[in-house]
Protein backbone atom coordinates (compact mmCIF):
# COMPACT_ATOMS: atom_id res chain seq x y z
CA UNK A 1 0.00 0.00 0.00
CA UNK A 2 1.25 3.47 -0.90
CA UNK A 3 1.51 6.26 1.62
CA UNK A 4 -1.85 7.91 1.94
CA UNK A 5 -2.74 11.19 0.22
CA UNK A 6 -5.48 12.75 2.33
CA UNK A 7 -7.68 15.63 1.25
CA UNK A 8 -9.95 17.36 3.74
CA UNK A 9 -12.44 19.68 2.09
CA UNK A 10 -15.67 21.56 2.78
CA UNK A 11 -18.18 21.19 -0.01
CA UNK A 12 -21.61 22.27 -1.18
CA UNK A 13 -24.02 19.56 -2.24
CA UNK A 14 -27.48 19.44 -3.71
CA UNK A 15 -29.92 16.89 -2.24
CA UNK A 16 -33.06 15.60 -3.94
CA UNK A 17 -35.79 16.56 -1.47
CA UNK A 18 -38.12 13.66 -2.26
CA UNK A 19 -35.54 10.87 -1.86
CA UNK A 20 -32.85 12.50 0.30
CA UNK A 21 -30.19 11.36 -2.20
CA UNK A 22 -27.16 13.46 -3.07
CA UNK A 23 -27.26 14.80 -6.64
CA UNK A 24 -23.84 16.46 -6.93
CA UNK A 25 -21.07 18.16 -4.92
CA UNK A 26 -19.09 21.35 -5.48
CA UNK A 27 -15.76 22.13 -3.79
CA UNK A 28 -15.17 25.88 -4.08
CA UNK A 29 -11.86 27.47 -3.14
CA UNK A 30 -13.49 30.40 -1.35
CA UNK A 31 -14.64 29.83 2.24
CA UNK A 32 -17.72 32.04 1.77
CA UNK A 33 -18.73 30.59 -1.60
CA UNK A 34 -22.42 29.93 -2.19
CA UNK A 35 -24.71 28.78 -4.96
CA UNK A 36 -28.42 28.65 -5.65
CA UNK A 37 -30.79 27.77 -8.49
CA UNK A 38 -34.46 27.76 -9.39
CA UNK A 39 -34.85 24.05 -8.59
CA UNK A 40 -33.81 24.90 -5.04
CA UNK A 41 -36.10 27.93 -4.90
CA UNK A 42 -39.08 25.78 -5.83
CA UNK A 43 -38.27 23.14 -3.23
CA UNK A 44 -37.31 20.24 -5.49
CA UNK A 45 -33.72 20.15 -4.26
CA UNK A 46 -31.95 21.63 -1.24
CA UNK A 47 -28.41 22.83 -0.81
CA UNK A 48 -26.21 22.19 2.21
CA UNK A 49 -22.57 22.29 3.28
CA UNK A 50 -20.61 19.24 4.39
CA UNK A 51 -17.07 18.16 5.27
CA UNK A 52 -15.18 15.22 3.85
CA UNK A 53 -11.76 13.61 4.31
CA UNK A 54 -10.55 10.96 1.88
CA UNK A 55 -7.36 9.01 1.21
CA UNK A 56 -7.63 9.35 -2.56
CA UNK A 57 -4.69 7.07 -3.31
CA UNK A 58 -5.54 3.96 -1.30
CA UNK A 59 -9.31 4.02 -0.82
CA UNK A 60 -11.95 3.13 -3.42
CA UNK A 61 -14.70 5.64 -4.08
CA UNK A 62 -17.20 5.31 -1.25
CA UNK A 63 -19.81 8.00 -1.93
CA UNK A 64 -21.08 10.56 -4.44
CA UNK A 65 -19.27 13.25 -2.45
CA UNK A 66 -16.04 11.23 -2.67
CA UNK A 67 -16.49 10.75 -6.43
CA UNK A 68 -16.97 14.47 -7.01
CA UNK A 69 -13.96 15.29 -4.85
CA UNK A 70 -11.72 13.15 -7.06
CA UNK A 71 -13.14 14.68 -10.22
CA UNK A 72 -12.52 18.15 -8.77
CA UNK A 73 -8.95 17.25 -7.81
CA UNK A 74 -8.22 16.21 -11.39
CA UNK A 75 -9.69 19.34 -12.96
CA UNK A 76 -8.04 21.65 -10.40
CA UNK A 77 -4.67 19.97 -11.13
CA UNK A 78 -4.24 18.79 -7.53
CA UNK A 79 -3.99 15.22 -8.83
CA UNK A 80 -2.93 13.85 -12.22
CA UNK A 81 -4.76 11.29 -14.36
CA UNK A 82 -4.30 7.68 -13.29
CA UNK A 83 -3.11 8.69 -9.79
CA UNK A 84 -6.28 7.61 -7.97
CA UNK A 85 -8.50 4.48 -8.00
CA UNK A 86 -11.54 5.32 -10.13
CA UNK A 87 -12.78 1.84 -11.09
CA UNK A 88 -16.17 2.08 -9.35
CA UNK A 89 -16.91 5.65 -10.41
CA UNK A 90 -19.81 4.71 -12.70
CA UNK A 91 -21.39 2.58 -9.98
CA UNK A 92 -21.39 5.52 -7.55
CA UNK A 93 -22.33 8.51 -9.72
CA UNK A 94 -26.05 9.01 -10.34
CA UNK A 95 -27.46 10.01 -13.71
CA UNK A 96 -28.50 13.67 -13.54
CA UNK A 97 -30.46 16.03 -15.77
CA UNK A 98 -28.24 19.13 -16.02
CA UNK A 99 -30.67 21.98 -16.62
CA UNK A 100 -30.79 25.78 -16.78
CA UNK A 101 -32.64 25.71 -13.45
CA UNK A 102 -30.14 23.45 -11.68
CA UNK A 103 -29.31 19.73 -11.51
CA UNK A 104 -32.16 17.30 -10.80
CA UNK A 105 -32.82 13.63 -11.28
CA UNK A 106 -34.34 12.93 -14.71
CA UNK A 107 -37.80 11.99 -13.40
CA UNK A 108 -38.08 15.44 -11.77
CA UNK A 109 -37.62 17.40 -15.03
CA UNK A 110 -41.33 17.65 -15.88
CA UNK A 111 -42.17 18.94 -12.41
CA UNK A 112 -39.27 21.41 -12.61
CA UNK A 113 -40.39 22.69 -16.02
CA UNK A 114 -43.86 23.40 -14.66
CA UNK A 115 -42.51 25.06 -11.51
CA UNK A 116 -40.18 27.49 -13.30
CA UNK A 117 -42.77 28.41 -15.93
CA UNK A 118 -44.34 30.66 -13.29
CA UNK A 119 -41.25 32.85 -13.66
CA UNK A 120 -41.42 32.75 -17.47
CA UNK A 121 -38.28 30.58 -17.48
CA UNK A 122 -38.07 28.21 -20.44
CA UNK A 123 -36.27 25.18 -19.06
CA UNK A 124 -33.29 23.95 -21.07
CA UNK A 125 -31.90 20.46 -20.45
CA UNK A 126 -28.25 20.60 -21.44
CA UNK A 127 -27.59 16.89 -20.96
CA UNK A 128 -28.65 13.77 -19.09
CA UNK A 129 -25.41 12.21 -17.90
CA UNK A 130 -23.34 11.15 -14.92
CA UNK A 131 -20.84 13.98 -15.48
CA UNK A 132 -21.40 17.74 -15.57
CA UNK A 133 -19.42 20.18 -17.67
CA UNK A 134 -16.06 20.90 -16.08
CA UNK A 135 -16.34 24.68 -16.36
CA UNK A 136 -19.50 24.75 -14.21
CA UNK A 137 -17.49 23.31 -11.30
CA UNK A 138 -13.81 24.03 -11.97
CA UNK A 139 -12.30 26.64 -14.28
CA UNK A 140 -8.53 26.03 -14.42
CA UNK A 141 -6.29 28.97 -15.25
CA UNK A 142 -4.59 29.50 -18.60
CA UNK A 143 -6.84 27.37 -20.81
CA UNK A 144 -9.14 28.02 -23.77
CA UNK A 145 -12.19 25.84 -24.37
CA UNK A 146 -14.23 26.55 -27.49
CA UNK A 147 -17.20 24.34 -26.55
CA UNK A 148 -17.58 23.74 -22.81
CA UNK A 149 -20.00 20.83 -23.38
CA UNK A 150 -17.08 18.76 -24.66
CA UNK A 151 -14.95 18.83 -21.51
CA UNK A 152 -16.24 16.72 -18.61
CA UNK A 153 -15.59 17.37 -14.95
CA UNK A 154 -12.53 15.26 -14.14
CA UNK A 155 -10.59 16.39 -17.22
CA UNK A 156 -7.05 17.53 -16.44
CA UNK A 157 -6.07 20.51 -18.60
CA UNK A 158 -2.57 21.90 -18.11
CA UNK A 159 -1.79 25.59 -18.42
CA UNK A 160 -1.67 26.59 -22.09
CA UNK A 161 -4.10 23.93 -23.33
CA UNK A 162 -6.52 24.85 -26.11
CA UNK A 163 -9.54 22.63 -26.73
CA UNK A 164 -11.18 23.46 -30.06
CA UNK A 165 -14.85 22.92 -30.95
CA UNK A 166 -14.47 19.28 -32.00
CA UNK A 167 -12.01 18.44 -29.22
CA UNK A 168 -13.29 16.26 -26.39
CA UNK A 169 -11.62 15.53 -23.06
CA UNK A 170 -13.08 12.87 -20.79
CA UNK A 171 -12.58 12.39 -17.04
CA UNK A 172 -9.27 11.07 -15.66
CA UNK A 173 -7.53 12.17 -18.85
CA UNK A 174 -6.05 15.25 -20.42
CA UNK A 175 -2.91 17.28 -21.01
CA UNK A 176 0.31 17.56 -19.02
CA UNK A 177 1.59 20.72 -20.74
CA UNK A 178 0.77 23.21 -23.47
CA UNK A 179 -1.21 21.30 -26.09
CA UNK A 180 -3.76 21.60 -28.89
CA UNK A 181 -6.79 19.32 -28.63
CA UNK A 182 -8.98 18.96 -31.70
CA UNK A 183 -9.73 15.25 -31.29
CA UNK A 184 -10.86 12.86 -28.54
CA UNK A 185 -8.88 12.17 -25.37
CA UNK A 186 -10.48 9.19 -23.66
CA UNK A 187 -10.25 8.09 -19.98
CA UNK A 188 -6.73 7.29 -18.78
CA UNK A 189 -5.02 8.97 -21.74
CA UNK A 190 -2.49 11.80 -21.26
CA UNK A 191 -0.96 14.17 -23.80
CA UNK A 192 2.48 15.69 -23.25
CA UNK A 193 3.90 19.19 -23.62
CA UNK A 194 3.83 20.64 -27.13
CA UNK A 195 1.68 17.93 -28.72
CA UNK A 196 -1.28 18.26 -31.07
CA UNK A 197 -4.29 15.93 -31.14
CA UNK A 198 -5.55 16.62 -34.66
CA UNK A 199 -9.12 17.30 -35.77
CA UNK A 200 -11.31 14.21 -35.68
CA UNK A 201 -8.57 11.99 -34.22
CA UNK A 202 -9.01 9.60 -31.30
CA UNK A 203 -6.95 7.77 -28.72
CA UNK A 204 -8.10 4.44 -27.32
CA UNK A 205 -8.76 4.39 -23.59
CA UNK A 206 -9.45 1.49 -21.25
CA UNK A 207 -13.22 1.74 -20.62
CA UNK A 208 -14.35 -0.19 -23.70
CA UNK A 209 -13.01 -3.40 -25.17
CA UNK A 210 -11.34 -4.69 -22.02
CA UNK A 211 -7.96 -3.12 -22.67
CA UNK A 212 -5.72 -2.64 -19.64
CA UNK A 213 -2.88 -0.69 -21.24
CA UNK A 214 -2.96 3.04 -20.54
CA UNK A 215 -2.07 4.91 -23.71
CA UNK A 216 -0.38 8.30 -23.85
CA UNK A 217 1.15 10.79 -26.24
CA UNK A 218 4.61 12.10 -25.35
CA UNK A 219 6.11 15.54 -25.89
CA UNK A 220 6.18 17.33 -29.25
CA UNK A 221 4.08 14.77 -31.11
CA UNK A 222 1.34 15.07 -33.72
CA UNK A 223 -1.69 12.83 -34.14
CA UNK A 224 -2.93 13.78 -37.59
CA UNK A 225 -6.48 14.71 -38.54
CA UNK A 226 -8.87 11.73 -38.44
CA UNK A 227 -6.06 9.46 -37.27
CA UNK A 228 -6.18 7.20 -34.23
CA UNK A 229 -3.95 5.15 -31.97
CA UNK A 230 -4.40 2.09 -29.79
CA UNK A 231 -0.76 2.34 -28.69
CA UNK A 232 1.28 5.05 -27.00
CA UNK A 233 3.32 7.59 -28.92
CA UNK A 234 6.69 8.59 -27.53
CA UNK A 235 8.27 12.00 -27.88
CA UNK A 236 8.48 13.69 -31.31
CA UNK A 237 6.26 11.20 -33.12
CA UNK A 238 3.82 11.73 -35.98
CA UNK A 239 0.84 9.70 -37.18
CA UNK A 240 -0.24 10.76 -40.66
CA UNK A 241 -3.79 11.98 -41.24
CA UNK A 242 -6.38 9.23 -41.54
CA UNK A 243 -4.18 6.38 -40.29
CA UNK A 244 -5.50 4.30 -37.39
CA UNK A 245 -2.91 2.19 -35.61
CA UNK A 246 -4.11 -0.55 -33.28
CA UNK A 247 -1.90 -2.80 -31.17
CA UNK A 248 -2.22 -5.53 -33.78
CA UNK A 249 -1.31 -3.39 -36.80
CA UNK A 250 1.71 -4.79 -38.65
CA UNK A 251 4.30 -2.07 -39.24
CA UNK A 252 7.25 -2.23 -41.62
CA UNK A 253 10.48 -0.72 -40.26
CA UNK A 254 13.24 0.96 -42.31
CA UNK A 255 15.33 -2.24 -42.33
CA UNK A 256 12.46 -4.17 -43.92
CA UNK A 257 11.49 -6.09 -40.81
CA UNK A 258 7.87 -6.15 -39.62
CA UNK A 259 6.69 -5.57 -36.06
CA UNK A 260 3.34 -5.48 -34.38
CA UNK A 261 2.57 -1.89 -33.39
CA UNK A 262 2.28 -2.93 -29.73
CA UNK A 263 6.02 -3.61 -29.77
CA UNK A 264 6.68 -0.04 -30.92
CA UNK A 265 4.42 1.54 -28.29
CA UNK A 266 6.05 4.48 -26.55
CA UNK A 267 9.11 4.70 -28.79
CA UNK A 268 10.40 8.18 -29.60
CA UNK A 269 10.97 9.75 -33.01
CA UNK A 270 8.74 7.67 -35.28
CA UNK A 271 6.61 8.75 -38.24
CA UNK A 272 3.75 6.33 -38.90
CA UNK A 273 2.32 6.45 -42.41
CA UNK A 274 0.61 4.25 -44.98
CA UNK A 275 2.60 3.81 -48.17
CA UNK A 276 0.40 5.29 -50.90
CA UNK A 277 1.62 2.76 -53.47
CA UNK A 278 1.67 -0.50 -51.52
CA UNK A 279 -0.78 0.23 -48.69
CA UNK A 280 1.77 -1.02 -46.15
CA UNK A 281 1.92 0.79 -42.78
CA UNK A 282 5.46 2.05 -42.23
CA UNK A 283 7.41 3.58 -39.35
CA UNK A 284 10.21 5.96 -40.33
CA UNK A 285 12.57 8.01 -38.18
CA UNK A 286 11.47 11.61 -37.67
CA UNK A 287 11.47 14.53 -35.25
CA UNK A 288 9.29 17.50 -34.34
CA UNK A 289 10.92 19.68 -36.99
CA UNK A 290 9.14 17.60 -39.62
CA UNK A 291 5.86 19.29 -38.72
CA UNK A 292 7.15 22.35 -36.88
CA UNK A 293 5.38 21.95 -33.55
CA UNK A 294 2.30 23.72 -32.25
CA UNK A 295 1.82 27.44 -32.78
CA UNK A 296 2.70 29.09 -29.47
CA UNK A 297 0.57 32.16 -30.20
CA UNK A 298 -2.56 30.00 -30.13
CA UNK A 299 -1.94 28.92 -26.55
CA UNK A 300 -1.29 32.21 -24.78
CA UNK A 301 -3.86 33.42 -22.28
CA UNK A 302 -4.51 37.15 -22.09
CA UNK A 303 -6.93 37.23 -19.16
Amino acid sequence: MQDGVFFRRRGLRYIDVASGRTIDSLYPNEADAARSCLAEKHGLIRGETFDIEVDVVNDPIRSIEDAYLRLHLLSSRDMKPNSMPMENLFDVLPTVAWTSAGPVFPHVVTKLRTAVSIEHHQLIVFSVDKFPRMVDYVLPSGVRIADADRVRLGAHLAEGTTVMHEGFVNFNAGTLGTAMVEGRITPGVTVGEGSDVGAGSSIMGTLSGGGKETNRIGRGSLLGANAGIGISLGNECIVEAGLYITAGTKVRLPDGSVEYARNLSGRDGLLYRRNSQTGVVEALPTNQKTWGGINGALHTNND
Side-chain angles (χ1 to χ4, degrees):
M1 181 179 292
Q2 302 180 52
D3 292 339
V5 177
F6 291 88
F7 282 90
R8 183 183 295 108
R9 294 287 173 89
R10 171 154 290 189
L12 305 172
R13 62 187 168 198
Y14 277 138
I15 305 291
D16 176 66
V17 169
S19 66
R21 295 172 58 206
T22 297
I23 298 173
D24 76 337
S25 298
L26 171 70
Y27 295 92
N29 292 324
E30 302 81 10
D32 60 347
R35 65 173 178 168
S36 184
C37 64
L38 288 174
E40 183 179 15
K41 177 182 178 180
H42 288 278
L44 299 178
I45 65 176
R46 72 173 188 270
E48 62 183 32
T49 61
F50 67 97
D51 294 297
I52 188 172
E53 183 177 8
V54 179
D55 178 356
V56 297
V57 168
N58 292 310
D59 292 341
I61 298 171
R62 303 186 188 279
S63 66
I64 295 169
E65 292 81 357
D66 182 353
Y68 270 86
L69 175 61
R70 298 181 198 220
L71 295 174
H72 274 76
L73 293 173
L74 286 162
S75 291
S76 62
R77 305 172 185 149
D78 289 301
M79 297 294 288
K80 291 184 177 181
N82 306 310
S83 62
M84 299 177 285
M86 305 286 281
E87 289 79 9
N88 61 330
L89 181 66
F90 279 85
D91 296 328
V92 173
L93 286 178
T95 299
V96 175
W98 306 100
T99 84
S100 56
V104 296
F105 289 134
H107 68 273
V108 181
V109 168
T110 299
K111 186 180 294 186
L112 176 60
R113 180 176 287 112
T114 300
V116 300
S117 68
I118 298 171
E119 303 183 53
H120 304 283
H121 178 85
Q122 180 174 316
L123 187 73
I124 299 173
V125 180
F126 299 110
S127 67
V128 180
D129 194 11
K130 290 178 177 286
F131 298 82
R133 305 189 309 174
M134 181 189 73
V135 297
D136 294 334
Y137 289 73
V138 179
L139 187 57
S141 62
V143 303
R144 293 169 53 222
I145 302 170
D147 185 347
D149 288 339
R150 299 182 65 81
V151 181
R152 276 175 154 179
L153 181 62
H156 182 285
L157 300 185
E159 188 101 13
T161 295
T162 298
V163 184
M164 293 302 291
H165 295 80
E166 293 306 312
F168 176 81
V169 187
N170 218 323
F171 74 97
N172 198 33
T175 61
L176 303 180
T178 300
M180 173 64 82
V181 181
E182 300 176 273
R184 294 178 55 84
I185 302 179
T186 49
V189 172
T190 58
V191 177
E193 169 76 30
S195 288
D196 188 323
V197 182
S201 64
S202 64
I203 309 163
M204 281 189 189
T206 57
L207 287 185
S208 300
K212 302 298 182 184
E213 195 71 27
T214 301
N215 292 321
R216 64 178 179 85
I217 293 179
R219 300 185 304 276
S221 291
L222 170 64
L223 183 59
N226 297 315
I229 51 173
I231 62 170
S232 291
L233 296 183
N235 302 326
E236 299 188 345
C237 288
I238 301 171
V239 178
E240 77 166 0
L243 176 61
Y244 206 115
I245 302 173
T246 67
T249 300
K250 292 183 177 181
V251 182
R252 187 172 66 191
L253 302 179
D255 64 3
S257 63
V258 176
E259 281 277 11
Y260 284 109
R262 68 172 68 93
N263 297 328
L264 304 175
S265 182
R267 290 196 191 179
D268 298 338
L270 291 178
L271 162 63
Y272 294 93
R273 72 178 189 186
R274 187 178 297 278
N275 188 296
S276 61
Q277 293 180 312
T278 66
V280 171
V281 176
E282 303 172 328
L284 305 174
T286 191
N287 57 61
Q288 190 186 53
K289 295 178 182 177
T290 303
W291 67 282
I294 60 176
N295 184 344
L298 300 178
H299 303 273
T300 57
N301 189 306
N302 300 322
D303 60 359

